[in-house]
Amino acid sequence: MTKKQKIESSPRKTETRELFDRIAPQRDAWINRNRFYYQDLWSYMRFLVPEGLKVLDLGCGTGRMLDAVKPSHGVGVDLSDSIIRIAKENFPAHIFHQGNIE
């Protein structure tokens, strides 16, 4: 497969991408409203992933989990263009790509 060829997306994958594109602007507000849960989750992930490692986050969302583990080099991939734009704006120190992780 060449770079110019594009992998076809299933209808379900397309629906999922469209949903996350729609909810992207509210995603961080939802996380802030449920801060206790997410802070606990990030704390647990920092326990599992020591600071300073190279980290690849598949399904990275707005990048908050990736940033929370404090990688020396962080790369995030998500299906949603809108989510990736937010991640790039909020965490410019990391690299984010829109794509199908399959």
Short mmCIF file of all heavy atoms in Angstrom, two decimals, residues 29-84:
data_model
loop_
_atom_site.label_atom_id
_atom_site.label_comp_id
_atom_site.label_asym_id
_atom_site.label_seq_id
_atom_site.Cartn_x
_atom_site.Cartn_y
_atom_site.Cartn_z
N ALA A 29 -14.41 20.07 29.40
CA ALA A 29 -15.36 20.51 30.43
C ALA A 29 -15.92 19.30 31.17
O ALA A 29 -16.09 19.32 32.40
CB ALA A 29 -16.49 21.33 29.81
N TRP A 30 -16.20 18.21 30.43
CA TRP A 30 -16.69 16.98 31.07
C TRP A 30 -15.63 16.42 32.02
O TRP A 30 -15.93 16.02 33.14
CB TRP A 30 -17.04 15.95 29.99
CG TRP A 30 -17.38 14.63 30.59
CD1 TRP A 30 -16.56 13.55 30.71
CD2 TRP A 30 -18.62 14.26 31.18
NE1 TRP A 30 -17.22 12.52 31.33
CE2 TRP A 30 -18.49 12.93 31.64
CE3 TRP A 30 -19.84 14.91 31.37
CZ2 TRP A 30 -19.51 12.25 32.28
CZ3 TRP A 30 -20.86 14.22 32.00
CH2 TRP A 30 -20.69 12.92 32.44
N ILE A 31 -14.39 16.42 31.58
CA ILE A 31 -13.30 15.93 32.44
C ILE A 31 -13.19 16.80 33.68
O ILE A 31 -13.04 16.28 34.80
CB ILE A 31 -11.97 15.88 31.65
CG1 ILE A 31 -12.04 14.78 30.58
CG2 ILE A 31 -10.78 15.66 32.58
CD1 ILE A 31 -10.88 14.79 29.59
N ASN A 32 -13.29 18.11 33.53
CA ASN A 32 -13.21 19.01 34.69
C ASN A 32 -14.36 18.78 35.67
O ASN A 32 -14.17 18.86 36.88
CB ASN A 32 -13.17 20.46 34.23
CG ASN A 32 -11.86 20.82 33.56
OD1 ASN A 32 -10.85 20.17 33.78
ND2 ASN A 32 -11.89 21.82 32.70
N ARG A 33 -15.56 18.50 35.15
CA ARG A 33 -16.71 18.23 36.03
C ARG A 33 -16.53 16.93 36.81
O ARG A 33 -17.13 16.75 37.87
CB ARG A 33 -18.00 18.16 35.21
CG ARG A 33 -18.64 19.49 34.95
CD ARG A 33 -20.05 19.32 34.43
NE ARG A 33 -20.13 18.52 33.22
CZ ARG A 33 -20.08 18.99 31.99
NH1 ARG A 33 -19.93 20.27 31.77
NH2 ARG A 33 -20.17 18.18 30.95
N ASN A 34 -15.75 16.03 36.27
CA ASN A 34 -15.52 14.72 36.91
C ASN A 34 -14.05 14.61 37.34
O ASN A 34 -13.44 13.56 37.23
CB ASN A 34 -15.90 13.60 35.93
CG ASN A 34 -17.37 13.65 35.62
OD1 ASN A 34 -18.19 13.22 36.40
ND2 ASN A 34 -17.71 14.24 34.48
N ARG A 35 -13.53 15.69 37.84
CA ARG A 35 -12.12 15.84 38.15
C ARG A 35 -11.59 14.76 39.10
O ARG A 35 -10.50 14.25 38.90
CB ARG A 35 -11.88 17.22 38.76
CG ARG A 35 -10.45 17.53 39.06
CD ARG A 35 -10.30 18.91 39.65
NE ARG A 35 -11.21 19.84 39.03
CZ ARG A 35 -10.86 20.82 38.21
NH1 ARG A 35 -9.60 21.01 37.94
NH2 ARG A 35 -11.75 21.62 37.69
N PHE A 36 -12.36 14.41 40.13
CA PHE A 36 -11.86 13.42 41.09
C PHE A 36 -11.52 12.12 40.40
O PHE A 36 -10.46 11.54 40.63
CB PHE A 36 -12.89 13.19 42.21
CG PHE A 36 -12.45 12.13 43.18
CD1 PHE A 36 -11.52 12.42 44.17
CD2 PHE A 36 -12.93 10.83 43.09
CE1 PHE A 36 -11.08 11.45 45.06
CE2 PHE A 36 -12.50 9.85 43.97
CZ PHE A 36 -11.58 10.17 44.96
N TYR A 37 -12.42 11.64 39.55
CA TYR A 37 -12.19 10.38 38.83
C TYR A 37 -10.94 10.48 37.96
O TYR A 37 -10.08 9.58 38.00
CB TYR A 37 -13.40 10.03 37.96
CG TYR A 37 -13.10 8.92 36.98
CD1 TYR A 37 -13.08 7.59 37.40
CD2 TYR A 37 -12.81 9.19 35.65
CE1 TYR A 37 -12.79 6.56 36.52
CE2 TYR A 37 -12.52 8.16 34.76
CZ TYR A 37 -12.51 6.86 35.19
OH TYR A 37 -12.21 5.85 34.31
N TYR A 38 -10.82 11.54 37.18
CA TYR A 38 -9.70 11.67 36.26
C TYR A 38 -8.38 11.89 36.99
O TYR A 38 -7.35 11.35 36.58
CB TYR A 38 -9.97 12.76 35.22
CG TYR A 38 -10.98 12.30 34.22
CD1 TYR A 38 -12.31 12.63 34.33
CD2 TYR A 38 -10.60 11.46 33.16
CE1 TYR A 38 -13.25 12.17 33.41
CE2 TYR A 38 -11.53 11.00 32.25
CZ TYR A 38 -12.85 11.35 32.38
OH TYR A 38 -13.77 10.87 31.48
N GLN A 39 -8.38 12.65 38.08
CA GLN A 39 -7.14 12.81 38.84
C GLN A 39 -6.68 11.48 39.42
O GLN A 39 -5.48 11.19 39.43
CB GLN A 39 -7.33 13.86 39.94
CG GLN A 39 -7.37 15.26 39.38
CD GLN A 39 -7.63 16.31 40.44
OE1 GLN A 39 -8.16 16.03 41.52
NE2 GLN A 39 -7.27 17.54 40.12
N ASP A 40 -7.62 10.68 39.87
CA ASP A 40 -7.28 9.34 40.38
C ASP A 40 -6.74 8.47 39.25
O ASP A 40 -5.74 7.76 39.44
CB ASP A 40 -8.53 8.71 41.01
CG ASP A 40 -8.20 7.46 41.79
OD1 ASP A 40 -7.26 7.48 42.61
OD2 ASP A 40 -8.91 6.44 41.59
N LEU A 41 -7.36 8.52 38.09
CA LEU A 41 -6.90 7.76 36.93
C LEU A 41 -5.49 8.18 36.52
O LEU A 41 -4.62 7.35 36.28
CB LEU A 41 -7.88 7.95 35.77
CG LEU A 41 -7.56 7.25 34.46
CD1 LEU A 41 -7.54 5.74 34.64
CD2 LEU A 41 -8.57 7.65 33.39
N TRP A 42 -5.26 9.49 36.44
CA TRP A 42 -3.93 9.99 36.05
C TRP A 42 -2.88 9.59 37.07
O TRP A 42 -1.75 9.24 36.71
CB TRP A 42 -3.96 11.50 35.87
CG TRP A 42 -4.87 11.95 34.77
CD1 TRP A 42 -5.21 11.27 33.63
CD2 TRP A 42 -5.58 13.18 34.72
NE1 TRP A 42 -6.08 12.01 32.87
CE2 TRP A 42 -6.33 13.18 33.50
CE3 TRP A 42 -5.69 14.27 35.56
CZ2 TRP A 42 -7.14 14.23 33.13
CZ3 TRP A 42 -6.49 15.33 35.18
CH2 TRP A 42 -7.20 15.30 33.97
N SER A 43 -3.23 9.63 38.33
CA SER A 43 -2.30 9.23 39.39
C SER A 43 -1.92 7.75 39.22
O SER A 43 -0.75 7.38 39.34
CB SER A 43 -2.94 9.47 40.76
OG SER A 43 -2.09 9.02 41.77
N TYR A 44 -2.90 6.92 38.96
CA TYR A 44 -2.64 5.49 38.76
C TYR A 44 -1.77 5.27 37.52
O TYR A 44 -0.83 4.46 37.55
CB TYR A 44 -3.96 4.72 38.63
CG TYR A 44 -3.76 3.24 38.46
CD1 TYR A 44 -3.10 2.48 39.43
CD2 TYR A 44 -4.23 2.59 37.33
CE1 TYR A 44 -2.91 1.11 39.27
CE2 TYR A 44 -4.05 1.23 37.16
CZ TYR A 44 -3.39 0.50 38.13
OH TYR A 44 -3.21 -0.84 37.97
N MET A 45 -2.03 6.00 36.45
CA MET A 45 -1.22 5.86 35.24
C MET A 45 0.22 6.32 35.48
O MET A 45 1.16 5.73 34.96
CB MET A 45 -1.85 6.62 34.07
CG MET A 45 -3.16 6.01 33.60
SD MET A 45 -3.08 4.23 33.27
CE MET A 45 -2.15 4.22 31.78
N ARG A 46 0.41 7.35 36.32
CA ARG A 46 1.78 7.79 36.65
C ARG A 46 2.50 6.71 37.46
O ARG A 46 3.71 6.56 37.36
CB ARG A 46 1.75 9.12 37.40
CG ARG A 46 1.51 10.30 36.49
CD ARG A 46 1.72 11.63 37.21
NE ARG A 46 0.76 11.84 38.28
CZ ARG A 46 -0.40 12.46 38.13
NH1 ARG A 46 -0.76 12.92 36.96
NH2 ARG A 46 -1.20 12.61 39.15
N PHE A 47 1.75 5.94 38.25
CA PHE A 47 2.33 4.82 38.98
C PHE A 47 2.79 3.74 37.99
O PHE A 47 3.86 3.15 38.14
CB PHE A 47 1.30 4.25 39.96
CG PHE A 47 1.69 2.94 40.56
CD1 PHE A 47 2.66 2.88 41.56
CD2 PHE A 47 1.09 1.76 40.14
CE1 PHE A 47 3.02 1.65 42.11
CE2 PHE A 47 1.44 0.54 40.68
CZ PHE A 47 2.42 0.48 41.68
N LEU A 48 1.98 3.46 36.98
CA LEU A 48 2.29 2.42 36.00
C LEU A 48 3.36 2.84 34.99
O LEU A 48 4.13 2.01 34.52
CB LEU A 48 1.03 2.01 35.24
CG LEU A 48 -0.07 1.35 36.04
CD1 LEU A 48 -1.30 1.13 35.17
CD2 LEU A 48 0.40 0.03 36.64
N VAL A 49 3.36 4.12 34.63
CA VAL A 49 4.26 4.64 33.59
C VAL A 49 5.15 5.70 34.24
O VAL A 49 4.75 6.85 34.40
CB VAL A 49 3.46 5.27 32.42
CG1 VAL A 49 4.39 5.77 31.34
CG2 VAL A 49 2.46 4.26 31.86
N PRO A 50 6.37 5.34 34.61
CA PRO A 50 7.26 6.30 35.26
C PRO A 50 7.53 7.52 34.37
O PRO A 50 7.59 7.42 33.15
CB PRO A 50 8.55 5.51 35.49
CG PRO A 50 8.14 4.08 35.44
CD PRO A 50 6.99 4.02 34.49
N GLU A 51 7.70 8.64 35.01
CA GLU A 51 8.00 9.90 34.31
C GLU A 51 9.27 9.75 33.48
O GLU A 51 10.22 9.08 33.86
CB GLU A 51 8.19 11.01 35.36
CG GLU A 51 8.36 12.37 34.79
CD GLU A 51 8.41 13.45 35.87
OE1 GLU A 51 7.75 13.29 36.91
OE2 GLU A 51 9.12 14.44 35.64
N GLY A 52 9.28 10.40 32.32
CA GLY A 52 10.48 10.46 31.50
C GLY A 52 10.58 9.39 30.42
O GLY A 52 11.57 9.36 29.69
N LEU A 53 9.60 8.51 30.31
CA LEU A 53 9.63 7.50 29.26
C LEU A 53 9.09 8.06 27.95
O LEU A 53 8.44 9.10 27.93
CB LEU A 53 8.78 6.29 29.66
CG LEU A 53 9.23 5.49 30.87
CD1 LEU A 53 8.25 4.36 31.14
CD2 LEU A 53 10.62 4.94 30.65
N LYS A 54 9.34 7.36 26.88
CA LYS A 54 8.70 7.67 25.60
C LYS A 54 7.35 6.97 25.60
O LYS A 54 7.27 5.78 25.89
CB LYS A 54 9.55 7.19 24.43
CG LYS A 54 10.86 7.93 24.31
CD LYS A 54 11.68 7.40 23.15
CE LYS A 54 12.99 8.16 23.07
NZ LYS A 54 13.82 7.65 21.97
N VAL A 55 6.28 7.72 25.29
CA VAL A 55 4.94 7.17 25.40
C VAL A 55 4.15 7.38 24.10
O VAL A 55 4.14 8.47 23.55
CB VAL A 55 4.17 7.84 26.57
CG1 VAL A 55 2.73 7.35 26.64
CG2 VAL A 55 4.89 7.60 27.89
N LEU A 56 3.49 6.31 23.66
CA LEU A 56 2.55 6.36 22.55
C LEU A 56 1.16 6.13 23.14
O LEU A 56 0.90 5.09 23.74
CB LEU A 56 2.87 5.28 21.51
CG LEU A 56 1.84 5.08 20.40
CD1 LEU A 56 1.69 6.35 19.56
CD2 LEU A 56 2.24 3.89 19.53
N ASP A 57 0.27 7.10 22.98
CA ASP A 57 -1.08 7.02 23.51
C ASP A 57 -2.06 6.86 22.36
O ASP A 57 -2.28 7.79 21.59
CB ASP A 57 -1.38 8.29 24.31
CG ASP A 57 -2.72 8.24 25.04
OD1 ASP A 57 -3.45 7.24 24.90
OD2 ASP A 57 -3.03 9.23 25.74
N LEU A 58 -2.61 5.66 22.21
CA LEU A 58 -3.58 5.38 21.15
C LEU A 58 -4.98 5.67 21.68
O LEU A 58 -5.37 5.14 22.72
CB LEU A 58 -3.47 3.93 20.70
CG LEU A 58 -2.10 3.53 20.16
CD1 LEU A 58 -2.06 2.04 19.84
CD2 LEU A 58 -1.72 4.35 18.95
N GLY A 59 -5.71 6.50 20.97
CA GLY A 59 -7.00 6.96 21.47
C GLY A 59 -6.78 8.05 22.51
O GLY A 59 -7.37 8.06 23.58
N CYS A 60 -5.90 8.99 22.19
CA CYS A 60 -5.39 9.97 23.14
C CYS A 60 -6.38 11.04 23.57
O CYS A 60 -6.13 11.76 24.53
CB CYS A 60 -4.14 10.64 22.58
SG CYS A 60 -4.45 11.66 21.12
N GLY A 61 -7.50 11.16 22.86
CA GLY A 61 -8.45 12.21 23.22
C GLY A 61 -7.79 13.58 23.16
O GLY A 61 -7.01 13.86 22.25
N THR A 62 -8.07 14.42 24.14
CA THR A 62 -7.54 15.78 24.14
C THR A 62 -6.12 15.87 24.66
O THR A 62 -5.59 16.96 24.84
CB THR A 62 -8.45 16.72 24.95
OG1 THR A 62 -8.53 16.24 26.30
CG2 THR A 62 -9.84 16.81 24.34
N GLY A 63 -5.49 14.74 24.93
CA GLY A 63 -4.08 14.72 25.31
C GLY A 63 -3.79 14.83 26.79
O GLY A 63 -2.62 14.82 27.20
N ARG A 64 -4.81 14.90 27.60
CA ARG A 64 -4.58 15.11 29.03
C ARG A 64 -3.90 13.92 29.71
O ARG A 64 -3.05 14.11 30.58
CB ARG A 64 -5.88 15.49 29.71
CG ARG A 64 -6.32 16.89 29.24
CD ARG A 64 -7.63 17.30 29.80
NE ARG A 64 -7.46 17.80 31.14
CZ ARG A 64 -8.42 18.45 31.81
NH1 ARG A 64 -9.59 18.65 31.25
NH2 ARG A 64 -8.20 18.86 33.03
N MET A 65 -4.27 12.71 29.32
CA MET A 65 -3.63 11.53 29.91
C MET A 65 -2.16 11.48 29.50
O MET A 65 -1.28 11.22 30.33
CB MET A 65 -4.33 10.25 29.47
CG MET A 65 -3.66 8.98 29.97
SD MET A 65 -3.82 8.71 31.72
CE MET A 65 -5.52 8.13 31.75
N LEU A 66 -1.89 11.72 28.24
CA LEU A 66 -0.51 11.70 27.76
C LEU A 66 0.32 12.71 28.53
O LEU A 66 1.42 12.41 29.00
CB LEU A 66 -0.47 12.00 26.25
CG LEU A 66 0.91 12.03 25.60
CD1 LEU A 66 1.60 10.68 25.72
CD2 LEU A 66 0.78 12.45 24.14
N ASP A 67 -0.19 13.91 28.70
CA ASP A 67 0.55 14.93 29.43
C ASP A 67 0.71 14.56 30.90
O ASP A 67 1.75 14.85 31.50
CB ASP A 67 -0.15 16.28 29.29
CG ASP A 67 0.72 17.40 29.78
OD1 ASP A 67 1.80 17.64 29.19
OD2 ASP A 67 0.35 18.05 30.79
N ALA A 68 -0.28 13.91 31.47
CA ALA A 68 -0.25 13.57 32.90
C ALA A 68 0.88 12.62 33.26
O ALA A 68 1.41 12.67 34.37
CB ALA A 68 -1.59 12.96 33.33
N VAL A 69 1.27 11.74 32.33
CA VAL A 69 2.34 10.79 32.65
C VAL A 69 3.73 11.39 32.45
O VAL A 69 4.73 10.74 32.72
CB VAL A 69 2.21 9.46 31.88
CG1 VAL A 69 0.92 8.75 32.27
CG2 VAL A 69 2.29 9.65 30.39
N LYS A 70 3.80 12.61 31.97
CA LYS A 70 5.04 13.38 31.84
C LYS A 70 6.12 12.62 31.06
O LYS A 70 7.20 12.33 31.58
CB LYS A 70 5.56 13.80 33.21
CG LYS A 70 4.57 14.66 33.97
CD LYS A 70 5.14 15.17 35.26
CE LYS A 70 4.18 15.94 36.11
NZ LYS A 70 3.12 16.65 35.53
N PRO A 71 5.83 12.32 29.79
CA PRO A 71 6.81 11.59 28.99
C PRO A 71 7.96 12.48 28.54
O PRO A 71 7.81 13.71 28.45
CB PRO A 71 6.00 11.13 27.78
CG PRO A 71 4.96 12.19 27.62
CD PRO A 71 4.61 12.62 29.02
N SER A 72 9.09 11.87 28.24
CA SER A 72 10.19 12.64 27.64
C SER A 72 9.87 12.93 26.18
O SER A 72 10.30 13.93 25.62
CB SER A 72 11.50 11.86 27.74
OG SER A 72 11.42 10.65 26.99
N HIS A 73 9.10 12.03 25.57
CA HIS A 73 8.65 12.19 24.19
C HIS A 73 7.27 11.56 24.12
O HIS A 73 7.13 10.36 24.32
CB HIS A 73 9.61 11.49 23.23
CG HIS A 73 9.24 11.62 21.79
ND1 HIS A 73 9.48 12.76 21.07
CD2 HIS A 73 8.62 10.76 20.95
CE1 HIS A 73 9.05 12.60 19.84
NE2 HIS A 73 8.52 11.38 19.74
N GLY A 74 6.24 12.38 23.88
CA GLY A 74 4.87 11.87 23.85
C GLY A 74 4.25 11.99 22.47
O GLY A 74 4.35 13.04 21.84
N VAL A 75 3.63 10.91 22.02
CA VAL A 75 2.92 10.89 20.74
C VAL A 75 1.51 10.37 21.00
O VAL A 75 1.33 9.33 21.64
CB VAL A 75 3.62 9.99 19.71
CG1 VAL A 75 2.82 9.92 18.41
CG2 VAL A 75 5.03 10.47 19.44
N GLY A 76 0.52 11.11 20.52
CA GLY A 76 -0.87 10.70 20.67
C GLY A 76 -1.53 10.53 19.31
O GLY A 76 -1.25 11.28 18.39
N VAL A 77 -2.39 9.53 19.20
CA VAL A 77 -3.14 9.26 17.98
C VAL A 77 -4.61 9.12 18.33
O VAL A 77 -4.95 8.45 19.31
CB VAL A 77 -2.66 7.95 17.29
CG1 VAL A 77 -3.43 7.70 16.01
CG2 VAL A 77 -1.16 7.99 17.02
N ASP A 78 -5.46 9.78 17.57
CA ASP A 78 -6.90 9.66 17.78
C ASP A 78 -7.62 9.72 16.44
O ASP A 78 -7.10 10.31 15.49
CB ASP A 78 -7.41 10.76 18.70
CG ASP A 78 -8.73 10.39 19.37
OD1 ASP A 78 -9.78 10.52 18.72
OD2 ASP A 78 -8.68 9.94 20.53
N LEU A 79 -8.80 9.17 16.39
CA LEU A 79 -9.60 9.12 15.18
C LEU A 79 -10.19 10.48 14.82
O LEU A 79 -10.38 10.80 13.65
CB LEU A 79 -10.73 8.09 15.38
CG LEU A 79 -11.58 7.70 14.20
CD1 LEU A 79 -10.72 7.10 13.08
CD2 LEU A 79 -12.63 6.71 14.63
N SER A 80 -10.46 11.30 15.80
CA SER A 80 -11.17 12.56 15.62
C SER A 80 -10.23 13.73 15.29
O SER A 80 -9.33 14.04 16.05
CB SER A 80 -11.96 12.89 16.89
OG SER A 80 -12.43 14.22 16.87
N ASP A 81 -10.50 14.38 14.16
CA ASP A 81 -9.75 15.59 13.79
C ASP A 81 -9.90 16.69 14.84
O ASP A 81 -8.94 17.36 15.20
CB ASP A 81 -10.24 16.15 12.44
CG ASP A 81 -9.85 15.31 11.26
OD1 ASP A 81 -8.71 14.81 11.23
OD2 ASP A 81 -10.69 15.16 10.35
N SER A 82 -11.13 16.87 15.31
CA SER A 82 -11.41 17.95 16.27
C SER A 82 -10.70 17.72 17.59
O SER A 82 -10.15 18.65 18.18
CB SER A 82 -12.91 18.06 16.50
OG SER A 82 -13.58 18.37 15.30
N ILE A 83 -10.71 16.50 18.06
CA ILE A 83 -10.02 16.16 19.31
C ILE A 83 -8.52 16.41 19.16
O ILE A 83 -7.87 16.95 20.06
CB ILE A 83 -10.28 14.68 19.69
CG1 ILE A 83 -11.73 14.48 20.11
CG2 ILE A 83 -9.32 14.17 20.74
CD1 ILE A 83 -12.06 14.77 21.55
N ILE A 84 -7.95 16.03 18.03
CA ILE A 84 -6.52 16.22 17.79
C ILE A 84 -6.17 17.71 17.74
O ILE A 84 -5.14 18.12 18.29
CB ILE A 84 -6.07 15.48 16.51
CG1 ILE A 84 -6.09 13.97 16.75
CG2 ILE A 84 -4.68 15.94 16.05
CD1 ILE A 84 -5.14 13.47 17.83
#
